[in-house]
Amino acid sequence: MSTVTWITARGLFGRSRFLMLLPLPLILIGLAVLCRSLGVDPGQWGPPVLVGLGLAVVLPVVALIEGTGVLGAEIDDGTVVHILTKPLPRWQIVLPKLAVAAGVTAVTVGVPIYVAGVLADSVRLGLALVVASAAGALAYSALFLALSLVTRRPVLLGLVYVLIWEGLLGRFVSGTRVLSIQQWVIALADRMAPTPLLGTSVSVPVAAVLTALVAVGFTVLAIDRLRSFSVAGETS
Amino acid sequence: MTAISTQSTAGAPAAATSTLDLAGVSRWYGNVVAVNDVTMRLGPGVTGLLGPNGAGKTTLLHMMAGFLSPSRGTVTLDGEPTWRNPGVYRRLGLVSEREAVHTFLSAYEFVLASAKLHRLPDPEAATKRAIELVEMEDAQTRRIGTYSKGMRQRTRVAAALVHDPQVLLLDEPFNGMDPRQRLHMMALLHRLGDAGRTILFSSHILEEVEQVSGTVQVMVAGRLAASGDYRTIRRLMTNRPHVFAVRSTDDRALAVALMAEASVSGVELGRTGLTVKAGDYGAFTRALPRIALRHGIRVRQLLPEDESLESVFSYLVEA
């Protein structure tokens, strides 16, 4: 494990904001178990729990907390200077931090979405959701990590993207779905485990290509912004 | 405002030393000019960066450390730009003003992480040496979150020194330190300067600068107002008379005699001696023994009264 990864992981698990990650996955598992135990038809509870809660809320919100936290929290408290005053190419800082954010998001979302997928349909759907949400975790994390370097309000902008763009516009303006990570995740999962529980108008090739483009593009942007990172003077 | 300059820093750079050069550096934020056309060269030794709050010290330090791009001009370390060049951190260490440390780590872990990030061949040994240098051995395994402000500061200094940098920049390094820690830090900076390191520390507390370094860079309102040894700077301020406290065997007779001397612009006779204002430092100090001898007076004390850094600084700020 690289030193940057180690410091990032220690910082993440040492901060109270990590506790914020726990309720949403627990609610997702709880709802799936409740519906299954009450014998509700999966066709009724599957879409709102798997997509409405799992992929539309839990995945982006966890990714938002992680993606903006791995670097944004260090920028906020000034500890980023400790890492930046080292003779490291900036990609050696961004990539480990992205790996931690995407990895923790993938695990935090993967476990409950797998359980919910298995309870709703099959192990195959559970695994498809795990793989697709891992790809989504990478894309979301790259986006939010880059946001923490281009704006002082990454959480606010991230919420605007998730709630307004994906949540609101995605529901009423079908064209916006092409630029929605959530829809790409659904398309990828549906391709791996076709099921009526998941439905999207975005094609699989478009989803795969755009997921890769967003992950790579925002990572490159983050590396470039970190190269030009400026520290604001306190007393000037 | 006219900048006053004397020799920049003591000694010529040797092979293992580094030089930090600023050439015509300015930095502005919108219409606010934080640093205005600063040119300076920092070589081995300890230099104090002095100025009132808001003078541009931190902005200047951030540009030196590669954390801010100059709006105009260049900042180079041994000829390499510091901006967008992480390679300079092999030779440069920074202790920023903000008290930013990973509170969830111990001092040992924090400094060791620095050593590993620098890819030092023996990070554990380098960590041990740096922690000993700042006298943090006893508390090194405790979480930094439990430290006092001074201990955190020393931990940050250890992390900045772990790779034994040629250049060390410190922004207000004595903040939060108790008197004993302050003295220890001053001694450490002296040792590093004597060992050929280029040390620049900013401060707005004159006594600190006076005790650590005779060489100063004085910033006033974003400009470099003076540069060099502050006593020499004082002597170059020919528009301000030098003030001396003089005691002798016959103060009144000496006062009368001094008034005839061309370099003397005023004499005040007090209960404890004379206060003499002289326009020309050198001419007066050469004339005084001659005058005293001629009148059979013995001079018991001759003290320059406004050659302190405080006087120099207040003259520069008022100018």
Side-chain angles (χ1 to χ4, degrees):
Chain A
M1 188 192 289
S2 80
T3 307
V4 177
T5 309
W6 176 75
I7 290 177
T8 306
R10 283 285 301 265
L12 198 62
F13 295 108
R15 289 176 208 270
S16 56
R17 64 190 287 166
F18 180 70
L19 296 173
M20 292 163 62
L21 301 179
L22 294 179
L24 282 172
L26 290 178
I27 291 171
L28 180 59
I29 293 177
L31 275 177
V33 170
L34 187 68
C35 292
R36 180 65 185 255
S37 59
L38 292 176
V40 182
D41 175 22
Q44 284 189 313
W45 69 263
V49 172
L50 293 176
V51 178
L53 180 63
L55 300 182
V57 177
V58 181
L59 174 61
V61 169
V62 171
L64 183 65
I65 294 169
E66 297 302 318
T68 57
V70 287
L71 198 53
E74 291 187 359
I75 292 171
D76 286 346
D77 66 19
T79 50
V80 72
V81 170
H82 175 61
I83 288 178
L84 291 181
T85 49
K86 304 297 178 288
L88 298 173
R90 284 356 189 183
W91 64 266
Q92 289 185 13
I93 297 172
V94 169
L95 291 188
K97 287 187 174 290
L98 176 64
V100 170
V104 173
T105 303
V107 171
T108 311
V109 177
V111 172
I113 204 87
Y114 173 78
V115 173
V118 170
L119 292 177
D121 187 81
S122 61
V123 171
R124 187 177 175 190
L125 177 62
L127 290 174
L129 286 167
V130 169
V131 174
S133 56
L138 184 63
Y140 274 125
S141 299
L143 168 65
F144 297 141
L145 193 150
L147 275 185
S148 67
L149 282 162
V150 298
T151 170
R152 289 189 171 188
R153 294 185 176 80
V155 176
L156 180 68
L157 278 182
L159 282 175
V160 166
Y161 173 73
V162 171
L163 299 179
I164 307 293
W165 183 267
E166 291 193 330
L168 198 63
L169 293 178
R171 188 168 300 171
F172 300 113
V173 186
S174 60
T176 61
R177 290 179 201 153
V178 179
L179 294 179
S180 163
I181 296 172
Q182 176 197 326
Q183 296 298 322
W184 306 339
V185 172
I186 294 171
L188 293 174
D190 193 44
R191 173 74 177 79
M192 287 180 270
T195 167
L197 300 176
L198 305 173
T200 178
S201 55
V202 179
S203 71
V204 172
V206 168
V209 169
L210 288 180
T211 302
L213 272 180
V214 163
V216 173
F218 281 102
T219 303
V220 170
L221 175 66
I223 292 167
D224 184 63
R225 293 305 297 243
L226 198 61
R227 278 197 194 111
S228 308
F229 184 80
S230 294
V231 174
E234 302 253 315
T235 57
S236 292
Chain B
M1 189 193 305
T2 308
I4 298 172
S5 179
T6 68
Q7 191 184 346
S8 63
T9 42
T17 61
S18 287
T19 307
L20 195 60
D21 275 301
L22 284 78
V25 170
S26 298
R27 172 74 203 193
W28 51 80
Y29 300 92
N31 330 331
V32 179
V33 180
V35 171
N36 193 349
D37 196 20
V38 170
T39 296
M40 67 167 78
R41 166 172 278 207
L42 298 170
V46 184
T47 303
L49 180 62
L50 190 61
N53 284 333
K57 304 187 297 294
T58 299
T59 303
L60 197 66
L61 268 169
H62 283 162
M63 286 193 283
M64 290 176 182
F67 279 108
L68 208 52
S69 65
S71 304
R72 183 185 292 163
T74 56
V75 182
T76 53
L77 177 61
D78 298 331
E80 284 181 48
T82 57
W83 175 243
R84 282 177 74 98
N85 183 12
V88 297
Y89 298 119
R90 288 190 190 91
R91 281 164 290 149
L92 189 146
L94 170 71
V95 180
S96 61
E97 187 196 13
R98 201 167 165 190
E99 192 193 326
V101 272
H102 295 100
T103 50
F104 49 86
L105 300 177
S106 68
Y108 182 82
E109 289 172 326
F110 185 69
V111 180
L112 182 64
S114 276
K116 286 180 174 173
L117 289 169
H118 275 291
R119 309 262 154 82
L120 299 181
D122 188 350
E124 286 81 10
T127 301
K128 187 169 178 289
R129 181 188 58 80
I131 283 180
E132 283 171 1
L133 212 54
V134 298
E135 293 183 352
M136 281 290 293
E137 299 98 309
D138 292 342
Q140 62 178 309
T141 53
R142 259 169 51 202
R143 280 180 59 244
I144 295 173
T146 64
Y147 288 176
S148 69
K149 202 170 176 184
M151 291 165 82
R152 289 181 189 209
Q153 186 76 322
R154 284 190 285 156
T155 304
R156 293 166 66 222
V157 171
L161 285 174
V162 74
H163 60 301
D164 197 15
Q166 290 299 315
V167 178
L168 182 63
L169 306 175
L170 307 101
D171 198 1
E172 303 280 355
F174 304 106
N175 274 0
M177 288 189 174
D178 64 35
R180 197 189 67 83
Q181 292 167 348
R182 213 171 271 235
L183 286 174
H184 177 257
M185 178 64 74
M186 287 174 179
L188 176 62
L189 295 185
H190 271 303
R191 282 204 309 274
L192 291 169
D194 292 344
R197 304 288 182 266
T198 300
I199 312 290
L200 179 77
F201 72 100
S202 76
S203 178
H204 61 278
I205 303 193
L206 298 167
E207 291 77 14
E208 286 177 358
V209 181
E210 201 162 27
Q211 285 175 55
V212 179
S213 168
T215 308
V216 292
Q217 306 282 346
V218 184
M219 295 285 294
V220 179
R223 283 183 174 274
L224 186 64
S227 169
D229 184 282
Y230 66 84
R231 298 168 203 91
T232 314
I233 292 170
R234 173 65 191 96
R235 282 165 210 172
L236 290 170
M237 292 178 172
T238 50
N239 57 335
R240 287 186 181 271
H242 295 267
V243 181
F244 294 91
V246 182
R247 288 174 66 190
S248 69
T249 50
D250 189 346
D251 290 338
R252 188 172 294 274
L254 183 61
V256 172
L258 284 175
M259 281 309 291
E261 165 61 32
S263 63
V264 174
S265 58
V267 180
E268 189 181 316
L269 183 60
R271 282 198 305 167
T272 56
L274 301 174
T275 302
V276 181
K277 289 184 178 174
D280 185 329
Y281 183 95
F284 171 71
T285 50
R286 282 192 300 274
L288 180 65
R290 185 168 32 85
I291 293 168
L293 198 62
R294 194 190 310 146
H295 291 84
I297 301 166
R298 183 183 294 172
V299 175
R300 289 182 170 153
Q301 184 192 62
L302 172 66
L303 278 179
E305 282 214 317
D306 64 346
E307 224 180 56
S308 66
L309 182 56
E310 188 176 345
S311 306
V312 175
F313 185 66
S314 62
Y315 290 159
L316 288 167
V317 173
E318 286 163 14

